[in-house]
Amino acid sequence: MSQKKKKIALFILMLNMFITMGGVGIIIPVLPSYLHVFNAGGEVYGFLIAIFAFAQFLFSPIAGNLSDRFGRKIFIIGGLVVYGIAQIIFGLASEVWILFLGRFLSGLGAAFIMPPIMAYVADITTVEERGKGMGLIGAAISLGFMIGPGLGGFLAKVDLQFPFFLAGVVALLAAILSYIVLPNVKPQVKEQAVPHAQSKGENIFTQMVRSVKTSYFVLLIVVFTFSFGISNFQSTLSMFLTYKFAYSPIDIAIVITIGGFAGVILQMFIIDKLFKRFGEMKVILVNLLVAAATMILMIYVGGFFIILTVTTLFQIATVFIRPSVNTLISKFAEDEQGFAAGMNNAYMSLGNMIGPSLAGVLLEWKLSSPLILGAIILLGCFVLAYAWTKKKAPGLMHPATEK
């Protein structure tokens, strides 16, 4: 692929990921108020977040494998269509079960967007370019998650349903743009690797068993534990600020948006430099500690600007961790980029599913308990990643000898 086509492809991929995560983020500041219409609280909130992740868990490996066989473009477009329709359904809901249907379909759509996008980036970049490519996708994720809540909070003043309608329409427009502009790239998979990667009859559980035998399995466990801990904070933050400080949707949007903006700026300009100087694993380890520390601090701080500072530090840490893990998994995956991206998303979704469900229940019991649990999980993730790296992959601590 020429450099011009590569730049166009990366831009469209970043735009699609931005729109997807913007749609995810748009729900965060609005949902606590939206649920009041349905007389629902923290427990329903947690399960609504979780069912999105459950759909991703079920379908991400399927999307990754199919994209290895048939190409990435068709699934990215199809995922955007399903995702857009699902957002509109969520906005039109009149019963709680329709909210769950909308969230499940949103997760299904996201499952067919995210793994093919990550695999597409791997297809069009060299190993040396991989970190920068994944960093750009990570920046798009962070930017979407930053702007989404900001838009959601302000658009909710027009109508609580309006943010969801806007997210749906934008996703459908992105599908049309991708159909017209996005180059159709053949996956970089060797012929002998295809039958193994696409074994007929493989379901999600068979694929997860097979993932245990991969060279990057511990990295998938890191994805799960990291996602579990992070989702505790992200799914709890809106309800925590609403219950403890009576924050409005706009207040919540400002906190999330400013922190996300800081993370995006740093990611766009320094993430590749950090990878080259320290290696992805060191970036992961340091930021796991930062994320755990800020979760504990949230329990004790007060005052808008202090809360803003703590949440900003947390979001910067998570912004650095995601592309670091994605890059390492992609480097280890070699000829199974679609499968690896699908399993990456599946393990992430599993953590995102269990984390919010448990957080919602714990939130009803004690306000600070989800934050404490999340911090413990992140510290456990740090210990696991550090021990595995020292024993099995010491080269990851030194960029010059990295795989």
Side-chain angles (χ1 to χ4, degrees):
M1 177 184 288
S2 67
Q3 287 298 318
K4 184 178 179 180
K5 283 189 175 181
K6 185 182 294 189
K7 288 180 180 179
I8 292 172
L10 278 172
F11 173 77
I12 297 298
L13 295 175
M14 290 174 65
L15 179 65
N16 289 339
M17 194 68 89
F18 166 77
I19 289 169
T20 302
M21 294 309 297
V24 173
I26 210 168
I27 197 175
I28 292 176
V30 184
L31 195 53
S33 299
Y34 194 47
L35 287 177
H36 281 305
V37 178
F38 301 89
N39 295 315
E43 193 167 336
V44 172
Y45 179 96
F47 284 119
L48 278 174
I49 302 296
I51 197 169
F52 178 94
F54 178 63
Q56 281 191 298
F57 168 71
L58 290 178
F59 295 104
S60 288
I62 296 173
N65 272 351
L66 289 176
S67 77
D68 274 344
R69 295 184 64 185
F70 303 109
R72 323 298 184 190
K73 180 175 178 176
I74 186 174
F75 297 105
I76 293 171
I77 294 170
L80 285 166
V81 171
V82 173
Y83 186 81
I85 293 172
Q87 291 282 35
I88 294 171
I89 290 173
F90 194 88
L92 292 172
S94 56
E95 303 285 344
V96 171
W97 72 266
I98 301 178
L99 294 178
F100 280 98
L101 173 63
R103 289 294 289 170
F104 183 84
L105 291 175
S106 293
L108 169 62
F112 278 87
I113 298 169
M114 297 176 72
I117 283 180
M118 289 192 289
Y120 196 123
V121 172
D123 289 337
I124 64 174
T125 57
T126 64
V127 173
E128 292 75 20
E129 298 171 332
R130 193 72 45 81
K132 184 176 181 180
M134 290 297 180
L136 289 172
I137 295 299
I141 291 173
S142 303
L143 188 63
F145 200 76
M146 173 195 77
I147 292 180
L151 277 175
F154 286 102
L155 293 177
K157 294 182 71 67
V158 177
D159 185 89
L160 282 176
Q161 297 166 310
F162 184 63
F164 310 119
F165 295 148
L166 179 65
V169 170
V170 170
L172 293 174
L173 291 174
I176 296 172
L177 180 63
S178 296
Y179 177 78
I180 297 171
V181 179
L182 186 66
N184 195 13
V185 177
K186 185 178 180 180
Q188 299 296 312
V189 183
K190 294 179 183 177
E191 290 185 8
Q192 64 266 30
V194 173
H196 177 66
Q198 320 302 340
S199 299
K200 294 182 178 180
E202 274 198 346
N203 55 39
I204 175 62
F205 303 105
T206 304
Q207 291 174 15
M208 292 197 74
V209 169
R210 180 154 70 86
S211 73
V212 175
K213 301 176 183 178
T214 63
S215 59
Y216 50 87
F217 173 64
V218 169
L219 295 173
L220 294 174
I221 297 300
V222 169
V223 169
F224 167 73
T225 52
F226 156 69
S227 300
F228 182 99
I230 295 304
S231 63
N232 269 270
F233 185 90
Q234 292 176 335
S235 64
T236 303
L237 183 60
S238 293
M239 300 298 282
F240 182 82
L241 295 177
T242 300
Y243 287 174
K244 188 172 182 178
F245 301 106
Y247 277 22
S248 68
I250 291 180
D251 295 327
I252 297 169
I254 291 172
V255 169
I256 295 172
T257 301
I258 292 178
F261 181 74
V264 169
I265 294 300
L266 290 173
Q267 186 179 52
M268 289 181 67
F269 291 103
I270 73 170
I271 191 70
D272 195 43
K273 294 178 181 178
L274 290 177
F275 287 171
K276 289 177 179 177
R277 182 170 181 180
F278 301 107
E280 291 89 351
M281 186 54 75
K282 284 185 180 178
V283 174
I284 292 169
L285 293 173
V286 169
N287 286 286
L288 281 171
L289 293 177
V290 173
T294 51
M295 289 187 82
I296 295 298
L297 281 174
M298 276 298 296
I299 300 171
Y300 301 103
V301 299
F304 183 82
F305 290 104
I306 298 177
I307 290 172
L308 178 62
T309 300
V310 173
T311 54
T312 297
L313 289 173
F314 175 85
Q315 289 185 81
I316 290 172
T318 60
V319 157
F320 284 168
I321 294 172
R322 291 188 192 279
S324 305
V325 177
N326 292 345
T327 301
L328 281 182
I329 290 175
S330 178
K331 288 180 177 179
F332 274 89
E334 296 180 346
D335 301 311
E336 290 189 330
Q337 294 296 331
F339 175 77
M343 294 314 301
N344 183 351
N345 218 42
Y347 278 84
M348 178 190 71
S349 301
L350 192 60
N352 288 342
M353 175 177 62
I354 298 174
S357 301
L358 190 54
V361 174
L362 291 173
L363 196 67
E364 300 285 345
W365 170 60
K366 188 175 181 180
L367 201 58
S368 61
S369 55
L371 297 172
I372 295 172
L373 176 63
I376 293 172
I377 294 297
L378 288 174
L379 290 173
C381 184
F382 169 84
V383 172
L384 173 67
Y386 182 79
W388 176 78
T389 303
K390 281 290 187 182
K391 185 175 181 180
K392 299 291 186 179
L396 293 180
M397 301 295 282
H398 308 286
T401 59
E402 187 180 288
K403 179 179 174 67

